[in-house]
Amino acid sequence: MANLSLVTTFILMGLPHAAPLDTLLFGIFLVIYVFTVVGNLLILLVILVDSHLHTPMYYFLTNLSFIDMWFSTVTVPKMLMTLVSPGGKTISFHSCVAQLYSFHFLGSTECFLYTVMSYDRYLAISYPLRYSSMMSGRRCALLATTTWLSGSLHSAFQTVLTFRLPYCGSNQIQHYFCDAPPILNLACADTSANEMVIFFNIGVVASGCFLLIVLSYVSIVCSILKIRTSEGRHRAFQTCASHCTVVFCFFGPGVFIYLRPGSKDAVDGVVAVFYTVLTPLLNPMVYTLRNKEVKKSLLKLKSKSIFTHSK
């Protein structure tokens, strides 16, 4: 792929903002990134240590936390570098290829994982007595493996499609990371076929997953309405609302960027912050840290740590 290109390095122009805001934005995004990594690491640790949390739901949540930790790491550190150093804006051609592949790999895997998690919740709420047999450990492993393999193949196709084109003109990417739409703007060839394939490729995947998630939650709501106690219904609705908020934060910006004709570089960069920076931070808070079982496990872990230090 590199032989077809005269461009050896790209320059990431970063988020559109006034220069005096560099330090402020750096501080904000650094704090968010640290909380994202620490929060997801904490969730991974708690679920791995506490045997009571070795259930299908938490099995998928460990996958989600692992993805979110790396999904944020793929884009945010480089964005921070563009804010504090002019040299930090430079990225080699091969590093750009790797970043685009990693970004779409983790992003599409998360997309598939949200779908699997909504299906898991549907089975748990609609078929509580048969749930353990329907969602066995083997089936969980199969579903998780399928999401990772599907994400890998989807990303490989996207990456090859983008970098098979020659890049021989401007090397300034109007974004804070290497993504297909802004990179295609720099190609020295007709990109209409690529844009059409991206539209349908990402469109089919994102729309299909989102539709399945909506269907799962509609079924979940129907099951919740059958709960006799108002407290039970309220708690279940609250959980569903939180999950749906995160799903919309992830799918909404993606649909806006990839499924509309034409690319508005400045707008795309701002919108992308929602699913590259904020969603990985929201997931630990919404899916686990608000959960009573996880809170109990955290307290146990903390008390064990205090007891060990006192010895």
Side-chain angles (χ1 to χ4, degrees):
M1 287 185 289
N3 293 333
L4 296 174
S5 175
L6 298 178
V7 172
T8 57
T9 59
F10 289 108
I11 298 173
L12 296 168
M13 301 309 291
L15 280 169
H17 67 283
L21 294 176
D22 281 351
T23 305
L24 176 63
L25 289 175
F26 177 84
I28 291 170
F29 287 122
L30 178 62
V31 169
I32 291 174
Y33 176 65
V34 169
F35 273 104
T36 299
V37 173
V38 172
N40 283 294
L41 273 174
L42 189 61
I43 288 164
L44 285 171
L45 178 64
V46 168
I47 294 175
L48 288 172
V49 169
D50 195 337
S51 58
H52 293 100
L53 300 180
H54 293 176
T55 63
M57 182 179 80
Y58 293 106
Y59 174 78
F60 293 127
L61 282 172
T62 56
N63 280 266
L64 183 64
S65 290
F66 184 80
I67 290 172
D68 279 333
M69 192 170 58
W70 288 106
F71 190 52
S72 184
T73 300
V74 164
T75 57
V76 178
K78 188 61 182 176
M79 178 176 68
L80 293 174
M81 289 172 67
T82 66
L83 290 169
V84 294
S85 168
K89 294 184 177 183
T90 304
I91 184 169
S92 70
F93 185 89
H94 292 98
S95 295
C96 192
V97 174
Q99 188 182 48
L100 187 141
Y101 174 80
S102 301
F103 173 75
H104 281 278
F105 169 43
L106 294 167
S108 52
T109 302
E110 183 158 344
C111 175
F112 296 131
L113 187 61
Y114 277 130
T115 311
V116 170
M117 288 171 67
S118 66
Y119 174 66
D120 172 65
R121 291 299 83 207
Y122 160 69
L123 291 181
I125 292 173
S126 301
Y127 304 97
L129 299 178
R130 295 164 53 196
Y131 174 67
S132 57
S133 60
M134 295 173 79
M135 194 57 76
S136 62
R138 185 178 178 183
R139 179 165 290 185
C140 288
L142 180 63
L143 286 169
T145 302
T146 302
T147 62
W148 284 95
L149 287 175
S150 300
S152 177
L153 291 171
H154 181 266
S155 180
F157 179 69
Q158 193 70 52
T159 306
V160 170
L161 192 70
T162 302
F163 288 102
R164 70 179 179 83
L165 296 171
Y167 294 89
C168 52
S170 172
N171 67 341
Q172 294 186 351
I173 299 174
Q174 300 296 326
H175 213 314
Y176 60 87
F177 68 94
C178 291
D179 197 12
I183 291 174
L184 288 177
N185 289 338
L186 308 180
C188 301
D190 180 28
T191 61
S192 56
N194 289 66
E195 290 168 4
M196 188 62 69
V197 173
I198 287 172
F199 181 87
F200 283 105
N201 183 28
I202 296 180
V204 168
V205 171
S207 301
C209 289
F210 187 72
L211 179 61
L212 290 172
I213 290 170
V214 169
L215 289 174
S216 294
Y217 276 104
V218 167
S219 301
I220 288 170
V221 168
C222 291
S223 298
I224 289 172
L225 291 174
K226 296 176 184 176
I227 298 175
R228 293 183 178 181
T229 62
S230 58
E231 185 183 346
R233 285 197 300 271
H234 176 72
R235 191 164 57 247
F237 272 125
Q238 198 174 36
T239 302
C240 285
S242 300
H243 292 188
C244 288
T245 299
V246 174
V247 168
F248 275 110
C249 283
F250 181 80
F251 281 93
V255 168
F256 177 82
I257 290 172
Y258 298 107
L259 302 187
R260 80 188 199 281
S263 175
K264 306 293 187 294
D265 296 319
V267 178
D268 286 357
V270 174
V271 172
V273 170
F274 280 93
Y275 65 92
T276 60
V277 180
L278 298 180
T279 303
L281 176 67
L282 285 173
N283 278 337
M285 292 188 291
V286 169
Y287 280 103
T288 45
L289 297 180
R290 293 174 70 252
N291 189 297
K292 287 182 180 179
E293 290 177 316
V294 175
K295 285 179 181 177
K296 286 180 182 177
S297 298
L298 280 169
L299 289 172
K300 284 182 186 176
L301 196 66
K302 186 179 178 182
S303 61
K304 281 182 182 178
S305 176
I306 292 171
F307 181 71
T308 304
H309 283 299
S310 65
K311 277 188 172 183

